[in-house]
Amino acid sequence: MLELPKDLYDEIVALAVETYPYESCGLLAGAPADDVVVRHFYRCRNAAESARVYTVDPGDHLRAERDAESRGWEIVGVVHSHTHTAAFPSPTDIAQAPDPAWHYAIVSLQRDEPALRSFRIVGDTVIEEPVAIS
């Protein structure tokens, strides 16, 4: 399960809308002992500047890691948007998933109302997990 506070959910969706037509991306942080509850969302620049793929800007990633560590958190996942497709990991998303312990959240802008889903990706196995907005 992935638990997102409402304000962070709103920020994630807002970033997806703001960066359209490009995919958005960011990192999720939480307490090491409880990777289910997201404590902070780090907006990151999509270094790929693409509507089809995302690459978290390495400088943004480093800043997020350092800030999270200074607060006693760790990076527990990544979120990005799909501008024209469903919120399901693409083959590229699966191939580039760096950590099997992470949450992989995707915001789809395919329909009028944005949709967010989250997954665990272990190798080629994709498992959807429930998302709770609190």
Side-chain angles (χ1 to χ4, degrees):
M1 170 182 263
L2 177 68
E3 185 176 329
L4 280 172
K6 177 79 164 85
D7 61 327
L8 296 184
Y9 169 82
D10 290 343
E11 187 176 346
I12 290 166
V13 170
L15 179 62
V17 172
E18 287 168 22
T19 58
Y20 182 87
Y22 296 141
E23 288 193 2
S24 65
C25 60
L27 297 168
L28 306 172
D34 181 13
D35 77 339
V36 171
V37 181
V38 175
R39 300 290 180 205
H40 192 76
F41 171 64
Y42 294 95
R43 289 175 167 235
C44 297
R45 186 177 75 83
N46 179 356
E49 294 184 340
S50 170
R52 300 209 183 279
V53 297
Y54 78 97
T55 302
V56 174
D57 178 82
D60 289 347
H61 193 159
L62 181 61
R63 280 186 288 282
E65 291 243 0
R66 287 180 175 166
D67 184 72
E69 185 177 302
S70 75
R71 298 172 188 236
W73 301 330
E74 62 185 28
I75 301 301
V76 297
V78 64
V79 60
H80 75 283
S81 63
H82 283 182
T83 58
H84 295 88
T85 59
F88 191 84
S90 70
T92 302
D93 295 336
I94 295 166
Q96 294 179 346
D99 190 331
W102 275 16
H103 302 274
Y104 294 90
I106 301 172
V107 176
S108 173
L109 300 178
Q110 184 179 31
R111 307 220 184 282
D112 290 339
E113 186 68 29
L116 184 143
R117 295 167 66 191
S118 186
F119 306 87
R120 296 293 182 130
I121 301 173
V122 180
D124 291 335
T125 303
V126 176
I127 302 164
E128 185 167 7
E129 62 182 348
V131 177
I133 310 299
S134 57

